[in-house]
């Protein structure tokens, strides 16, 4: 009987841990919602990108090295060749002029801390400052 | 108790194996009933909707017409390379279909642009290269805009210029599944991986259909 309880316990533990792993937790729910509706169709729900056409955002060195510029890329778009994890991409990213400074801040914080990405929190003030000086 | 669990498990496994056997896909679109005389007897015959003839250029500059899909099962969708919305999602899903069936000689994939002004043969070649789909049975097609919208309508898919839509074109993310006689047998939301799972299964159903 004891053995049976033990195996039941492991079974439920397995089910619960699977369910937990399936539901993606984020500290930036608005950022996730905005990302899913404005960015995911190109960059993918898991930030995986698309072949050599669209760069990934998950574990992308370009994001880690240029965290401040990301706000300008989102607002103004990006043209020309870029290098992400050693791979060249050249498809233009369209601008998103309608997103507010707060929305852009939330998207950046979501992306910079999703799918294994880990980056320090960026404040609205920092983003305001960056957006003033976009090229 | 243990016997009961084993029994339920076996039944579930058997049910999941039974997925496609004997499945028939409907012929979609308008049907016309026509009267005809066979051996002096009057009979009613059904004419099913069929995708019409077409002629476009693919990413290699090759002319692709209805003759290229003759007696083949194929999928078709409409897109444009500068599409800022659903196209990349649909293309990612089409890649899944492609990797599953790219070696099948009686299967093809046709992606028609709705932006032929920008999507020239050269631009499609660039796109196909970036998508890593060369060489193979996936053709990206361009041609006359009016013909392309007419072809879209024959697939019962919406695709047109619309200045109010993101990127300037309005189109659905649906993928149409066509049989060896150019009848439409299914539509699948190309932005939904589960619907595309179904498409992958249904392609196998059509490939196994007698012809």
């Amino acid at each position: 009987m004891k053995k049976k309880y033990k195996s039941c316990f492991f079974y439920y533990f397995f089910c619960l841990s699977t369910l937990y792993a399936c539901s993606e937790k984020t500290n930036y729910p608005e950022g996730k919602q905005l990302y899913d509706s404005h960015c995911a169709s190109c960059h993918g729900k898991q930030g995986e990108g698309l072949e050599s056409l669209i760069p990934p955002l998950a574990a992308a060195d370009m994001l880690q090295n240029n965290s401040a510029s990301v706000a300008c890329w989102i607002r103004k778009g990006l043209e020309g060749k870029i290098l992400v994890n050693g791979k060249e991409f050249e498809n233009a990213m369209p601008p998103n002029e309608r997103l507010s400074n707060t929305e852009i801040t939330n998207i950046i914080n979501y992306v910079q801390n999703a799918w294994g990405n880990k980056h320090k929190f960026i404040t609205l003030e920092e983003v305001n400052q960056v957006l003033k000086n976009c090229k | 108790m243990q016997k009961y669990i084993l029994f339920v498990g076996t039944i579930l496994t058997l049910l999941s194996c039974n997925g496609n056997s004997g499945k028939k896909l409907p012929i979609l679109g308008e049907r016309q009933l026509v009267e005809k005389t066979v051996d002096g007897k009057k009979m009613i015959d059904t004419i099913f909707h069929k995708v019409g003839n077409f002629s476009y250029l693919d990413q290699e500059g090759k002319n692709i017409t209805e003759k290229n899909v003759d007696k083949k099962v194929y999928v078709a969708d409409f897109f444009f390379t500068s599409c800022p919305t659903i196209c990349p999602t649909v293309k990612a899903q089409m890649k899944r279909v492609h990797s599953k069936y790219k070696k099948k000689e009686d299967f093809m994939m046709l992606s028609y642009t709705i932006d032929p002004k920008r999507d020239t043969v050269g631009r499609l070649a660039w796109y196909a290269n970036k998508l890593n789909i060369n060489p193979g049975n996936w053709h990206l097609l361009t041609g006359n805009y009016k013909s392309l919208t007419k072809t879209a309508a024959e697939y019962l898919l919406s695709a047109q210029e619309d200045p109010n839509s993101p990127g300037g074109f309005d189109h659905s993310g649906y993928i149409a599944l066509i049989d060896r006689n150019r009848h439409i047998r299914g539509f699948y939301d190309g932005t939904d991986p589960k619907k595309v799972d179904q498409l992958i299964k249904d392609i196998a159903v059509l490939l196994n259909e007698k012809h």
Side-chain angles (χ1 to χ4, degrees):
Chain A
M1 197 63 186
K2 249 188 179 174
K3 207 177 170 188
K4 228 177 210 179
Y5 277 124
K6 212 175 176 184
S7 58
C8 265
F9 173 77
F10 278 116
Y11 177 71
Y12 283 114
F13 180 75
F14 170 75
C15 288
L16 284 175
S17 60
T18 311
L19 280 175
Y20 182 78
C22 289
S23 61
E24 195 198 342
K25 285 257 171 188
T26 173
N27 290 330
Y28 306 100
E30 192 195 89
K32 177 176 164 40
Q33 193 194 28
L34 289 165
Y35 176 85
D36 285 349
S37 56
H38 292 276
C39 323
S41 61
C42 288
H43 290 288
K45 285 223 161 186
Q46 301 299 316
E48 71 273 23
L50 177 62
E51 301 292 325
S52 310
L53 205 57
I54 294 157
L57 301 179
D61 56 359
M62 193 178 170
L63 278 188
Q64 299 297 316
N65 303 338
N66 301 276
S67 67
S69 327
V70 180
C72 288
W73 300 339
I74 296 175
R75 169 139 318 150
K76 302 280 181 192
L78 197 56
E79 275 189 21
K81 286 182 181 171
I82 56 166
L83 266 185
V84 178
N85 300 340
K87 200 170 171 181
E88 201 176 84
F89 293 88
E90 56 179 349
N91 205 11
M93 168 167 156
N96 291 277
E97 305 271 9
R98 284 185 187 172
L99 291 172
S100 70
N101 291 15
T102 320
E103 288 174 320
I104 290 178
T105 310
N106 285 343
I107 291 175
I108 295 174
N109 279 319
Y110 169 66
V111 168
Q112 293 283 36
N113 293 284
W115 326 299
N117 288 350
K118 276 202 176 77
H119 206 273
K120 74 172 182 56
F121 181 79
I122 189 163
T123 64
L124 175 63
E125 286 72 40
E126 287 174 88
V127 169
N128 284 343
Q129 220 40 51
V130 170
L131 286 173
K132 267 188 207 159
N133 301 310
C134 285
K135 279 172 200 163
Chain B
M1 183 65 182
Q2 259 176 343
K3 271 183 188 168
Y4 178 68
I5 290 173
L6 272 177
F7 176 70
V8 172
T10 316
I11 294 289
L12 285 176
T13 314
L14 285 174
L15 279 176
S16 65
C17 289
N18 201 19
N20 280 327
S21 60
K23 183 179 175 180
K24 270 202 169 175
L25 300 173
I27 296 179
L28 304 174
E30 199 195 356
R31 292 164 183 212
Q32 280 183 324
L33 296 177
V34 285
E35 213 172 77
K36 63 175 187 178
T37 315
V38 181
D39 299 331
K41 281 182 191 169
K42 275 190 178 175
M43 293 178 81
I44 300 286
D45 199 15
T46 313
I47 297 181
F48 294 99
H49 173 75
K50 189 174 171 177
V51 175
N53 296 351
F54 57 85
S55 175
Y56 299 107
L57 293 177
D58 76 356
Q59 69 267 34
E60 291 175 8
K62 274 194 291 193
N63 189 214
I64 300 290
T65 71
E66 74 285 348
K67 291 191 183 85
N68 295 81
V69 291
D70 191 36
K71 305 283 173 228
K72 286 181 183 173
V73 173
Y74 72 101
V75 291
D77 78 319
F78 286 78
F79 82 114
F80 56 109
T81 61
S82 52
C83 166
T85 54
I86 53 174
C87 309
T89 311
V90 177
K91 286 290 158 286
Q93 293 303 317
M94 292 277 277
K95 273 282 295 192
R96 288 178 55 216
V97 178
H98 186 243
S99 55
K100 176 91 183 162
Y101 293 108
K102 63 183 170 192
K103 286 181 181 155
K104 278 265 170 201
E105 279 178 10
D106 52 350
F107 177 74
M108 269 178 103
M109 297 177 65
L110 304 182
S111 290
Y112 299 83
T113 179
I114 34 172
D115 183 13
K117 264 189 210 159
R118 278 184 286 185
D119 290 345
T120 56
V121 169
R123 171 80 179 171
L124 293 181
W126 171 85
Y127 194 84
N129 191 32
K130 293 283 174 189
L131 210 53
N132 299 323
I133 59 168
N134 285 329
N137 51 5
W138 187 352
H139 303 268
L140 310 180
L141 302 176
T142 186
N144 175 280
Y145 173 73
K146 268 196 171 173
S147 311
L148 284 160
T149 52
K150 184 174 165 277
T151 302
E154 287 177 359
Y155 284 109
L156 310 179
L157 291 173
S158 62
Q160 67 218 348
E161 229 167 336
D162 176 11
N164 297 321
S165 292
F169 292 88
D170 180 27
H171 65 112
S172 76
Y174 274 81
I175 304 168
L177 174 60
I178 317 296
D179 70 13
R180 298 179 199 271
N181 300 310
R182 266 186 286 144
H183 295 310
I184 304 168
R185 305 296 292 274
F187 291 105
Y188 307 83
D189 182 351
T191 63
D192 182 347
K194 281 183 189 154
K195 299 283 156 52
V196 176
D197 289 345
Q198 189 59 49
L199 168 62
I200 289 171
K201 286 181 192 165
D202 287 353
I203 290 169
V205 172
L206 287 194
L207 285 170
N208 290 328
E209 215 170 54
K210 279 179 190 165
H211 60 285

